[in-house]
Amino acid sequence: WVEFTQSSAQTISPGTNITWDTKRTTGGDSISINSSTGVITLDSSKRYWIQASIHFIRSSVQQNDSVSFEFQDSAGSTVTPANGGFSMVYVEDINVPYINSSFVASLMISYPSLSYKLVCTDIPNNSTFASQSSLFIMELK
């Protein structure tokens, strides 16, 4: 198990790569993250289950506002469910909320040939990605 966190909150808008700068691990692993770009590099001979536990503070709240995060490859292409990527989506409806209450985005990948990143794809500009967020990675042989 590996956990990445942030030492402080990050200001985000649509298109922001989420960065991680603190690593905790239960043992040796083959995972690295560029703390400036958020790009996650994995070992191509292993399998991975990655979950981002997402906490955010929106700069404004309007009816039908939405928030979404997704995993992308390092070139910026969305990792679809068919390829192991599962986004986090929250849509604010002041009358009847539609919520992905887990606020989790996941990536399941076997023998990766690409690098990945977590990207905020929809949120009000100048919102905050809270430091309580975590990126959990299970590395399997």
Side-chain angles (χ1 to χ4, degrees), residues 5-61:
T5 56
Q6 297 179 322
S7 56
S8 61
Q10 179 182 357
T11 301
I12 58 174
S13 295
T16 301
N17 292 356
I18 303 304
T19 58
W20 310 93
D21 61 10
T22 305
K23 180 179 182 178
R24 292 187 325 153
T25 183
T26 59
D29 62 79
S30 304
I31 302 163
S32 65
I33 296 183
N34 182 313
S35 62
S36 298
T37 65
V39 172
I40 306 162
T41 302
L42 307 168
D43 186 325
S44 63
S45 68
K46 298 188 178 172
R47 297 174 295 137
Y48 294 90
W49 180 20
I50 302 173
Q51 285 196 335
S53 175
I54 298 167
H55 298 265
F56 55 85
I57 302 163
R58 291 173 288 175
S59 58
S60 66
V61 178

Side-chain angles (χ1 to χ4, degrees), residues 7 15-16 18 29 37-38 45 55 62 66 70 78 84 88-91 102 104 106 110-111 121 125 129 132 134:
S7 56
T16 301
I18 303 304
D29 62 79
T37 65
S45 68
H55 298 265
Q62 302 294 320
S66 63
E70 69 181 17
T78 299
M88 184 240 96
V89 177
Y90 172 88
V91 177
S102 66
V104 170
S106 295
S110 295
Y111 316 112
T121 53
N125 286 331
F129 190 77
Q132 296 89 342
S134 295

